[in-house]
Amino acid sequence: MKIKMIPADKLIQLKESISSMTKSYDNPNNNWISEYLGNEVFIDTRFTCPDVELTISDNENDDFDNVVKLYGSLKDVLSDSVATEERLWTGFTLDRYYEYSAKRWKQDSRWTANGIRDHLFFMNTGRRALTRNAVSRLWWIGRLTYDNELNSPDPWKYTRYVCTHQRFIVDFLERNISNSFSLLKPTIDAVLKWEANHENREVDSNKMREIQKYINILGGIYILDCLEYQFLYDKVYSKIETLMEN
């Protein structure tokens, strides 16, 4: 199918009217959008992809399967620069994945104005916008965690971890640690190894934030992207040991 996007002028119209039209977004279908904006709300891009059916659910446990479906289908279609485009992702959230977006992110079966801005459009800037929009977050979680290493036995290993530890998305994927997969990989591996070595103990979100701060400190000492996997792994594992002793 052709991937569609929303033109900039119509995107601006919708964003400027969110506060006055919040209730419209609670409609079970998106017919109201064309009634409000007129014809050609969504236009074809030059990109094509399979028609991916996402699991329509408000359960975060379904995020992993949806990341695999969406990113798996689009990873060779969209470049990083194209995948930062609000007009593209709003085309998905308000058209093809209108029902999915509503089911996943409405609060008490209703949209709030801020919820609309955050999950149907881009309310924030930078990485945070990409990981909050209902559909772009699926692509970017995949982009930042998929293991492209040749013959990787489980290329979705890190994706699975992130999707089952949702705070990781806020604590790491929205911050500089995830700019390079070479930093993300040893970090998650160290956490998984420590937990495997300490049955029934988990590196919780508070500890993960401390690890993120520690890596930022390392970044002031080393050029992290230049370091070997084992060096970073050992540093993070040692930090976890220290944190978990306290």
Side-chain angles (χ1 to χ4, degrees):
M1 71 171 192
K2 282 278 190 180
I3 294 176
K4 295 180 180 292
M5 64 183 294
I6 186 168
D9 59 333
K10 296 187 185 299
L11 176 66
I12 292 170
Q13 278 184 266
L14 285 173
K15 293 183 76 170
E16 288 179 344
S17 66
I18 289 172
S19 294
S20 62
M21 297 192 67
T22 300
K23 290 184 179 179
S24 296
Y25 289 86
D26 288 328
N27 280 301
N29 61 63
N30 69 343
N31 293 340
W32 66 271
I33 298 177
S34 58
E35 293 171 3
Y36 174 59
L37 295 178
N39 296 327
E40 295 187 353
V41 177
F42 306 103
I43 59 175
D44 286 342
T45 68
R46 64 184 175 84
F47 303 108
T48 60
C49 70
D51 187 7
V52 178
E53 293 282 346
L54 297 180
T55 300
I56 298 174
S57 166
D58 59 0
N59 190 335
E60 65 182 30
N61 293 330
D62 291 317
D63 283 356
F64 173 68
D65 285 342
N66 283 333
V67 169
V68 171
K69 291 175 184 176
L70 190 81
Y71 183 70
S73 296
L74 294 179
K75 64 184 176 68
D76 297 323
V77 175
L78 304 179
S79 66
D80 285 4
S81 60
V82 170
T84 63
E85 178 55 65
E86 182 179 16
R87 291 171 295 178
L88 174 78
W89 297 116
T90 301
F92 277 119
T93 59
L94 294 185
D95 189 30
R96 178 65 183 86
Y97 298 123
Y98 182 85
E99 184 181 1
Y100 163 78
S101 301
K103 183 66 175 178
R104 178 65 179 88
W105 293 105
K106 276 185 181 181
Q107 296 294 318
D108 299 321
S109 300
R110 301 177 68 86
W111 279 114
T112 64
N114 280 341
I116 292 167
R117 294 186 184 101
D118 221 10
H119 301 300
L120 299 183
F121 299 92
F122 282 5
M123 183 164 80
N124 302 283
T125 58
R127 181 68 58 76
R128 191 176 182 187
L130 301 173
T131 56
R132 297 297 175 92
N133 176 278
V135 183
S136 70
R137 74 187 297 272
L138 300 177
W139 193 91
W140 277 100
I141 289 171
R143 169 66 181 84
L144 296 169
T145 61
Y146 182 80
D147 188 356
N148 281 305
E149 185 176 326
L150 187 63
N151 298 323
S152 172
D154 182 6
W156 299 103
K157 171 184 175 181
Y158 305 101
T159 313
R160 186 180 298 105
Y161 177 85
V162 167
C163 288
T164 54
H165 296 76
Q166 294 271 325
R167 280 298 309 180
F168 199 95
I169 296 170
V170 175
D171 294 334
F172 278 72
L173 296 194
E174 292 183 358
R175 291 172 168 81
N176 288 337
I177 174 61
S178 58
N179 285 344
S180 171
F181 184 69
S182 64
L183 304 182
L184 194 72
K185 184 174 181 178
T187 301
I188 295 179
D189 280 344
V191 171
L192 292 173
K193 185 63 174 178
W194 191 92
E195 290 179 345
N197 290 341
H198 299 79
E199 190 175 356
N200 298 323
R201 296 191 67 190
E202 183 179 42
V203 181
D204 63 25
S205 60
N206 290 328
K207 297 294 191 297
M208 293 300 292
R209 280 192 287 274
E210 292 301 315
I211 294 169
Q212 186 265 327
K213 292 176 185 176
Y214 173 67
I215 293 173
N216 283 342
I217 292 172
L218 290 179
I221 303 171
Y222 307 102
I223 302 175
L224 296 180
D225 285 341
C226 296
L227 297 177
E228 293 285 346
Y229 166 91
Q230 194 63 46
F231 179 88
L232 287 168
Y233 173 91
D234 291 342
K235 287 286 188 183
V236 174
Y237 193 93
S238 177
K239 182 62 176 179
I240 295 170
E241 292 269 55
T242 301
L243 289 171
M244 298 304 287
E245 287 174 0
N246 300 327

